[in-house]
Amino acid sequence: MAGQSQPPYEPLTPPAPTSCWPKCLMGCVCSLLVLCTVIYFGLVHYISGVAVGQMVVLNEQKAMEFCSSGLDMDNIAYNLWWPGCGYVSSMSNFSEGCGGSCYDAGFMEKMQKFNEKYPSKRVTYPSRKADGIETVTLGGWWLSGDHSQLPENATAPRIVVQHGFTSNSNMFRTQSFAYTLRTLGYDVLVNNFRDHCYSENSTAHIYEWGHAYPMDLLGAWDYAVNDADGKLGGKVDAAQVGLLGFSKGGFITNNAFGLEGRVPAAWVDAPPFTPQIVFAHGLKKTLSGMGIGFMTNIILPQVWSNVMSAAAESGVDLEKHLPEDSLALGPDTQRPIYTVHNKLDNTVPFSEGEKLLEFLKTMPEKYSVVGSYVTDELCVDMDHCTDQLLHFEEYKARLCKFWSAVFKVQSSSCSSGATESSAGAESTETTQSTESRRLYMV
């Protein structure tokens, strides 16, 4: 309109830019959390499947290996798998030194001739009855010792030998332990867990660890004491029947030793203290091989819970009996126990043996740790439960001294093969290796 002034020109001001960083950052964090969650549960699912397959699902091939009808004590020594030699089918397979510095053809020949000379038979007996645990018929070897090693007219003491994980009565470790004890004059009952070798299958038909296996070993011990079917030469005093277990068999031996106060003594070689810790050791090796070892402690609780749940579906509690609980039940009688462990053991960590010793020392009124034999050498390339081969004479001398004191029956073999260190076996001693060698998981 004429005469009116125009308003001053004001340039348009663009709106201030809006930053997307908060929203973008939140979106990135959420995506990362989703990704990590997917990876975590995916890894837990995968590892749980592998773990259940190894810790719970029975490996039929291993459980029944070398248990064919054609195998007996007259030919068993040269029809097994041996360290360095592999599967053998003739004594001549040992002639080229495949056992390295661990054992030689001469050792195998002596073992074979011993097996041929002294009586053996397969026997059957029931597992010990217990609430919530199926009773099954077990089968094992009854192996007579060289009684000429004992004082005249002495009744031969008896020792029940318990095999380990994925093993049975007919494998090299079990047979070599039994042979060593028999050369001292002791009779040996080699027990098979249920679902293994000559023993009856259970309804669950899985690895049972601390559930039924202690009752299997105690059933074998009951049979060795009472000779229910008259095949062992008669009943003997419970104080004359001991226990020896290696690897998982040592874990079961510790449980049985605590549960049955009449067992006079126990010898354990490389026993796990708990199945979970041994599993954790294997888990760490597996994840480290995948480049994610740092994930071990993150996924361990859930994976182990899944393993326990898988066993529970078959009515099995893998931790129903643990040495920490079972040993605490033992009587206040200072019963002797002896431990053996290899510092290089990559199957059952050496720390497991240390935990057992520390625990036993908290109950001096119940147990007397007579000795602890510590080694750090390999048998060919094996680090687990092979000292009875690698240090046969030393191992035998320690066994002899220990069991002679337990049974109050002196074996003449105690003088042969005894070394200066075996004379002081009450204290922990170590056999040092001359070189560092590669570990091999078995």
Side-chain angles (χ1 to χ4, degrees), residues 270-297:
F273 196 55
T274 68
Q276 181 180 358
I277 295 178
V278 172
F279 168 72
H281 178 70
L283 175 63
K284 184 175 183 178
K285 289 193 295 183
T286 298
L287 295 182
S288 296
M290 299 167 63
I292 52 173
F294 65 91
M295 291 288 291
T296 301
N297 291 334

Side-chain angles (χ1 to χ4, degrees), residues 304-322:
W304 182 249
S305 176
N306 293 344
V307 169
M308 292 285 290
S309 296
E313 291 177 3
S314 296
V316 171
D317 178 2
L318 301 180
E319 296 180 335
K320 182 177 180 66
H321 297 102
L322 295 175

Side-chain angles (χ1 to χ4, degrees), residues 42 52-53 87 118 146 154 162 165 189 223 229 240 315:
V52 170
Y87 291 95
Y118 295 96
D146 177 6
Q162 184 58 68
F165 189 53
L189 174 59
Y223 179 67
D229 55 8
Q240 294 295 295

Side-chain angles (χ1 to χ4, degrees), residues 199-222:
S199 291
E200 182 181 40
N201 285 342
S202 66
T203 301
H205 201 57
I206 63 174
Y207 291 127
E208 299 210 15
W209 288 87
H211 190 80
Y213 290 162
M215 297 304 113
D216 291 350
L217 179 52
L218 288 175
W221 184 82
D222 291 338

Side-chain angles (χ1 to χ4, degrees), residues 392-407:
F392 176 74
E393 294 297 341
E394 172 73 8
Y395 206 108
K396 177 180 174 179
R398 289 173 180 266
L399 282 169
C400 194
K401 182 174 182 180
F402 176 75
W403 289 112
S404 290
V406 169
F407 297 136

Side-chain angles (χ1 to χ4, degrees), residues 128-193:
R128 181 179 283 192
K129 293 181 180 180
D131 292 340
I133 296 178
E134 181 183 12
T135 301
V136 301
T137 299
L138 306 171
W141 283 110
W142 175 253
L143 307 173
S144 295
D146 177 6
H147 298 166
S148 69
Q149 300 298 318
L150 304 176
E152 188 176 358
N153 298 323
T155 299
R158 301 169 180 177
I159 298 175
V160 182
V161 172
Q162 184 58 68
H163 67 75
F165 189 53
T166 65
S167 184
N168 60 48
S169 63
N170 294 3
M171 292 191 179
F172 84 89
R173 289 186 176 92
T174 323
Q175 287 293 314
S176 56
F177 274 111
Y179 166 63
T180 309
L181 292 169
R182 296 172 74 198
T183 63
L184 298 175
Y186 306 133
D187 292 338
V188 174
L189 174 59
V190 181
N191 180 55
N192 283 297
F193 290 134

Side-chain angles (χ1 to χ4, degrees), residues 326-350:
S326 299
L327 287 168
L329 301 175
D332 296 346
T333 52
Q334 297 183 316
R335 290 181 296 163
I337 184 170
Y338 202 107
T339 71
V340 182
H341 218 129
N342 189 333
K343 284 187 174 182
L344 302 181
D345 197 326
N346 200 28
T347 300
V348 177
F350 182 73

